[in-house]
Amino acid sequence: MQFQIECNTEKTRKVCLICHQSFQMLAARLIVCNDEGDGYGDICPQCTARGSDWIHHQLQEFSNQLLTIK
Ligand SMILES: [Zn+2]
């Protein structure tokens, strides 16, 4: 599980992977992807602002859920 920051020019709304709120994408988007570079989804600015430690903790739980589904 890793982050990618990409420049964004789209003005579409996305749903945050962590808090499930829909938000307007900003000029820089934070994308969560696996080690192969497949994107799981975007993280909203509010969650981004909580810092990488907090995000990592949330994503740990998220990847645990993925493992449970499998
Ligand atoms: Zn969020």
Side-chain angles (χ1 to χ4, degrees):
M1 202 73 88
Q2 48 185 293
F3 306 139
Q4 256 176 30
I5 295 174
E6 285 187 3
C7 291
N8 170 56
T9 52
E10 294 175 55
K11 288 265 164 57
T12 52
R13 297 185 73 82
K14 286 275 186 177
V15 175
C16 174
L17 195 62
I18 293 176
C19 66
H20 308 294
Q21 304 286 320
S22 85
F23 66 98
Q24 172 100 47
M25 286 200 289
L26 302 177
R29 57 188 291 217
L30 185 63
I31 305 169
V32 180
C33 43
N34 64 15
D35 296 336
E36 281 83 52
D38 296 323
Y40 285 128
D42 288 62
I43 294 178
C44 73
Q46 282 88 348
C47 289
T48 307
R50 289 177 176 236
S52 58
D53 285 350
W54 183 85
I55 294 174
H56 266 289
H57 180 75
Q58 303 301 314
L59 292 179
Q60 212 117 45
E61 299 194 344
F62 174 71
S63 59
N64 286 343
Q65 285 171 20
L66 284 185
L67 291 175
T68 316
I69 293 167
K70 280 175 192 168

